[in-house]
Amino acid sequence: MVETVRPGDLAAEPASAAPPLPDHAVVPAVWGRITNLDVDRGEGSWLIARDGERYLDYTSGIGVTNTGHAHPRVVAAVQAQAAKLLHGQQNILYHEPGLRLHDRLSRLLPGGPWQAFLSNSGAEAVEASIKLARVATGRPAILAFRYGYHGRTAQTMALTTAKDVYRAAFEPLPGSVYHTAYPYCYRAAGGAHSPDACTCDWEAQLDLTFHQFIYPDRVAAVIVEPVLGEGGYIVPPPGFLPRLREITSQHGILLIADEVQTGFGRTGELFAVQHWAVEPDILVMAKGIASGLPLSGILARAELMAAWKPGSHGGTYGGNVVSCAAANATLDVIEDEGLVANARERGAQFLSGLRALAGKYAGIGDVRGLGLMLALELVKPADRDGRTPDPDLAKRIQSEALARRLIVLTAGTYVNVIRIIPPLVTTADEVALALSILDESLAAAAA
């Protein structure tokens, strides 16, 4: 439990006596950076730098450390497994952590029977979902949504439209990929709208896509993030996913739910599709699955998974034995410690606090979120009704927060969104502290 203290009262811990680090220039500049912190370790919601300063980490490694940094039960599982076996390739053998994880994953969603295919990264899992959809349906085309983010490999870049930097320099990209409108309620025509009163015309746009670009009977799958991540933490209106499920079923199109960022309790349900009682054909998972170790995968019904011939997909490190041990421990922590319920409770606390700040600062155009996946969209204060994006204000807020030892991220096509991603173990006191820091940071940034 964190004591309720003012940001300036946080005492630095004694600096470590470790030798100097190499210069930061050894790391290529292609890694876009938000801090230059040299971090020594993490504990729960906190990162401790080498100089002893403590930072409230509300990035969770971009939604990865749902169980907090270095959760003791996950650490113990990793240590125990590492002492026994570091690598067991799935083409060659079975291992206990992998068998247990496959079994648990098969029962995480209602219905079924489900099967899991394990890989290393979110992009790999998305690629697997696309390959499976094309093989299973015999159709070539994939439909994705504008503002979506699905990765930075060649195939996933073709799906991604969250920002130009992710794809603009890498043409030509794989073909037979089409994009349609996602319901971005805040920017819907006719003024700003909440999801409950959204006037988005996404369904008409989808119908137009089928009439202008591609026959629906040529589409293998529609891939969608239930809540957009890099695109700006955009929460869709309540009817969006259920109606999308109806449309895809009508045309024999598979529905792929990309839950790389929304999965494993992040939104206040184990998977975000459960908010709308929607069952996808394929669910993509990564990030929060193993508390920081590289692991990802897809879930699909057994009959769909059977469309793959043995050897038609695979990977050397997929389902690594140590990562599987970490994932089993992660699921234990999520279940035993009530982290999904905590995400709902702390998310409601945070959302209420952010809405109060929106009434105080004219630069906040929209507040949105689901569970502990929260965002502030920043606009030009003089043009709040016009909703002109203000990326400079977002960067100043992020910088001011970092100076007060709170780490948050930006997002959005115009990089004008502050996204807040606390670990699911965060406490009421930590949320209150973060809100206080954001209040001060907004005031300083506005000034």
Side-chain angles (χ1 to χ4, degrees):
M1 176 65 69
V2 176
E3 297 180 6
T4 304
V5 292
R6 298 295 303 154
D9 295 335
L10 290 171
E13 297 183 4
S16 68
L21 288 177
D23 189 273
H24 291 167
V26 298
V27 179
V30 68
W31 288 99
R33 310 201 64 82
I34 66 164
T35 85
N36 288 309
L37 295 177
D38 290 315
V39 172
D40 179 60
R41 65 189 187 280
E43 300 169 355
S45 301
W46 298 82
L47 289 171
I48 297 91
R50 281 168 56 89
D51 62 6
E53 294 287 352
R54 295 172 61 86
Y55 292 81
L56 185 55
D57 178 20
Y58 272 14
T59 74
S60 297
I62 316 183
V64 170
T65 55
N66 286 9
T67 60
H69 291 291
H71 193 288
R73 294 173 68 180
V74 178
V75 170
V78 169
Q79 290 173 331
Q81 181 55 53
K84 294 170 64 178
L85 182 69
L86 288 172
H87 176 65
Q89 215 282 334
Q90 291 197 93
N91 288 105
I92 300 171
L93 50 83
Y94 296 101
H95 49 70
E96 180 182 352
L99 287 171
R100 293 196 184 281
L101 182 60
H102 276 86
D103 179 61
R104 293 179 77 167
L105 292 173
S106 74
R107 294 180 278 107
L108 285 186
L109 285 171
W114 299 89
Q115 282 190 329
F117 177 90
L118 298 178
S119 47
N120 304 286
S121 69
E124 280 187 76
V126 170
E127 293 246 10
S129 74
I130 299 304
K131 290 177 69 174
L132 178 57
R134 283 175 166 152
V135 167
T137 63
R139 300 176 178 186
I142 304 295
L143 192 64
F145 287 89
R146 291 196 286 275
Y147 300 103
Y149 178 88
H150 302 285
R152 289 183 244 197
T153 59
Q155 180 66 73
T156 57
M157 275 193 297
L159 301 168
T160 292
T161 54
K163 296 175 192 170
D164 54 5
V165 70
Y166 295 143
R167 58 178 282 153
F170 302 103
E171 298 281 356
L173 297 174
S176 295
V177 173
Y178 300 86
H179 295 90
T180 190
Y182 190 91
Y184 192 166
C185 299
Y186 175 65
R187 297 197 171 275
H193 303 279
S194 70
D196 291 335
C198 190
T199 59
C200 306
D201 62 348
W202 71 269
E203 190 172 346
Q205 290 296 314
L206 178 59
D207 185 64
L208 198 59
T209 300
F210 287 152
H211 280 84
Q212 288 183 323
F213 295 104
I214 183 73
Y215 292 130
D217 63 6
R218 302 298 293 156
V219 177
V222 172
I223 185 167
V224 63
E225 295 169 271
V227 178
L228 292 192
E230 288 282 332
Y233 277 30
I234 302 168
V235 181
F240 169 62
L241 281 173
R243 179 59 183 143
L244 183 62
R245 174 70 282 185
E246 291 176 357
I247 293 169
T248 52
S249 297
Q250 174 188 345
H251 294 290
I253 298 170
L254 299 182
L255 180 62
I256 302 173
D258 181 344
E259 295 245 16
V260 168
Q261 194 160 165
T262 54
F264 296 94
R266 170 59 50 194
T267 67
E269 292 285 353
L270 191 62
F271 293 107
V273 289
Q274 293 173 294
H275 286 283
W276 300 280
V278 166
E279 183 179 294
D281 297 293
I282 304 173
L283 185 141
V284 184
M285 53 195 174
K287 289 191 182 288
I289 190 174
S291 295
L293 271 71
L295 189 66
S296 67
I298 62 172
L299 285 176
R301 288 189 175 278
E303 62 269 22
L304 187 61
M305 199 73 84
W308 266 335
K309 293 181 180 179
S312 62
H313 192 54
T316 301
Y317 299 104
N320 171 267
V321 61
V322 181
S323 294
C324 287
N328 281 313
T330 296
L331 287 170
D332 289 340
V333 171
I334 289 173
E335 293 167 4
D336 297 347
E337 300 185 15
L339 297 194
V340 176
N342 193 57
R344 287 195 296 268
E345 293 163 10
R346 298 286 71 77
Q349 176 190 356
F350 220 131
L351 198 60
S352 176
L354 292 176
R355 285 172 175 159
L357 293 178
K360 187 176 178 182
Y361 297 101
I364 299 177
D366 192 33
V367 172
R368 52 185 179 255
L370 201 58
L372 284 173
M373 189 173 182
L374 303 138
L376 296 172
E377 180 155 356
L378 286 308
V379 295
K380 298 282 187 183
D383 189 29
R384 190 175 189 178
D385 292 339
R387 294 162 287 164
T388 302
D390 196 341
D392 291 335
L393 178 57
K395 290 176 184 176
R396 291 199 302 273
I397 293 167
Q398 183 185 42
S399 178
E400 294 288 350
L402 181 62
R404 292 162 175 79
R405 287 172 277 180
L406 169 67
I407 312 176
V408 293
L409 294 174
T410 56
T413 299
Y414 300 101
V415 202
N416 67 313
V417 174
I418 295 289
R419 55 175 162 162
I420 303 160
I421 327 171
L424 309 190
V425 297
T426 200
T427 66
D429 285 348
E430 289 169 344
V431 170
L433 176 59
L435 287 166
S436 174
I437 294 174
L438 285 170
D439 191 356
E440 294 182 6
S441 301
L442 281 155

